[in-house]
Amino acid sequence: MNRETLKAWVQASRPPFFVATLIPLTAGAVLAHRQDSFEVLPFALVLVASFLVHFATNISNDYFDHMQGTDAGESIGGSRVLQEGKITLTELGKAIILLYTVAALIGFYLVWTLKLWAILPLMALAFFSSLFYVAPPVRYGYHGLGELFVAINMGPVMVMGSNWVLLGRVDWSALPVSLPIGLMVALILYYQSLPDMETDEAAGKRTLAVRLGKRGARTVLAVFWTSIYASIAALTLAGYFSPIAWCTLLTLPLLIKVWRLVVSIRNWVELDFHGKYIRIFYFINGLILIAALF
């Protein structure tokens, strides 16, 4: 593989978004560590399998959105490797199969060796959500359900799944902890859909933002932020997080900056240039919440 090919696959993987997988898995591991139940190898395998699924999800979105024509024309969605001719559709399809296969083998290895048969439905949900976000016949992302599934998978499924593998049993106390994490990842997806509202609607992709329209989309953005901070505050007061979690309030200036952009920019395509602020918001708050679990 030459350097240009490698760069193309890195572009397809969309590395800035991998933090969305790292934070919830680490939170689950920290919760297990608090009960003196942490082993490096199982956690490393969980990380590898989850990152492979995340990679597969990203390129599956590229593959099926391209087939649907959603990423054509003036659309700015996806990694653009297909539109720029850096990777062929056939190569992308083979990579999707390979990534899911390797991730499944790692998952089944953990289930077999740790006797975690009861976790199989959770794995099945993760696979279903990963592939059928834009893949037919389900394509739930085209029906305004993307944020809901992302919140569930990147919150409860990942936090509790990681914790379950390390503990060897379900710990329901991990569920509340996962909620603000899931909401923050859903916020990333939601914000990323704002610049593509017009092209998504034209292609028949009825995302939540498209269904709401600009005014409604702004309102739901504020609801997301309020829900995130409210859940963190409630969980801190309830003792799930240590007082360190109050440091998440330090990220308010980031949201104020984004809000001003959303209100002032007339052409929302330009919001794509500012998505880094939402990812930074998530990364900083994720690290604070992990620290608040120790």
Side-chain angles (χ1 to χ4, degrees):
M1 181 181 293
N2 60 43
R3 186 173 181 179
E4 290 304 312
T5 301
L6 179 60
K7 286 172 63 177
W9 283 105
V10 171
Q11 179 181 334
S13 72
R14 294 180 247 178
F17 296 96
F18 280 132
V19 66
T21 290
L22 180 62
I23 295 293
L25 295 179
T26 303
V30 171
L31 288 169
H33 182 266
R34 279 170 41 172
Q35 299 186 50
D36 298 319
S37 185
F38 177 84
E39 292 185 25
V40 174
L41 181 58
F43 181 58
L45 290 174
V46 168
L47 280 176
V48 171
S50 299
F51 279 122
L52 290 176
V53 170
H54 193 150
F55 190 174
T57 303
N58 287 344
I59 61 176
S60 293
N61 293 349
D62 279 350
Y63 185 94
F64 291 107
D65 273 342
H66 180 78
M67 296 290 286
Q68 179 70 19
T70 308
D71 286 344
E74 297 180 359
S75 172
I76 56 174
S79 70
R80 316 308 294 170
V81 291
L82 287 171
Q83 290 74 23
E84 294 168 5
K86 295 179 179 179
I87 298 175
T88 68
L89 197 63
T90 300
E91 290 171 333
L92 216 56
K94 290 178 179 178
I96 291 167
I97 295 171
L98 176 63
L99 291 169
Y100 278 131
T101 300
V102 175
L105 289 173
I106 294 173
F108 287 131
Y109 171 79
L110 287 169
V111 168
W112 179 268
T113 56
L114 300 177
K115 309 302 179 187
L116 296 175
W117 308 108
I119 205 173
L120 285 172
L122 201 68
M123 291 171 57
L125 173 61
F127 171 72
F128 173 90
S129 303
S130 169
L131 179 61
F132 290 108
Y133 172 55
V134 294
V138 181
R139 297 194 305 165
Y140 66 83
Y142 279 67
H143 305 291
L145 297 174
E147 288 78 8
L148 174 62
F149 274 83
V150 163
I152 292 171
N153 280 276
M154 308 302 272
V157 170
M158 282 199 167
V159 175
M160 296 186 69
S162 172
N163 184 253
W164 191 344
V165 169
L166 295 171
L167 281 180
R169 57 179 172 81
V170 178
D171 181 5
W172 289 105
S173 67
L175 178 59
V177 169
S178 72
L179 298 181
I181 295 174
L183 283 171
M184 286 191 287
V185 183
L187 172 61
I188 294 174
L189 176 66
Y190 181 71
Y191 180 88
Q192 288 299 128
S193 72
L194 300 182
D196 251 338
M197 284 176 62
E198 291 185 7
T199 53
D200 280 346
E201 185 172 20
K205 189 174 183 178
R206 302 280 293 169
T207 62
L208 179 59
V210 168
R211 290 172 179 271
L212 292 168
K214 274 195 172 183
R215 177 179 292 183
R218 277 196 297 265
T219 301
V220 169
L221 195 60
V223 170
F224 259 115
W225 292 334
T226 303
S227 301
I228 289 165
Y229 280 117
S231 62
I232 292 171
L235 291 169
T236 303
L237 292 171
Y240 285 96
F241 294 121
S242 75
I244 292 174
W246 294 114
C247 292
T248 55
L249 294 173
L250 296 174
T251 58
L252 269 171
L254 280 170
L255 297 190
I256 292 171
K257 182 178 182 65
V258 172
W259 181 255
R260 286 175 176 169
L261 289 168
V262 170
V263 171
S264 63
I265 291 176
R266 182 165 298 181
N267 182 3
W268 276 11
V269 172
E270 296 177 29
L271 292 177
D272 184 60
F273 300 111
H274 307 286
K276 62 182 179 182
Y277 296 117
I278 297 297
R279 296 193 294 273
I280 292 171
F281 170 80
Y282 170 67
F283 181 64
I284 293 174
N285 283 339
L287 291 180
I288 292 170
L289 294 183
I290 288 170
L293 289 173
F294 280 99

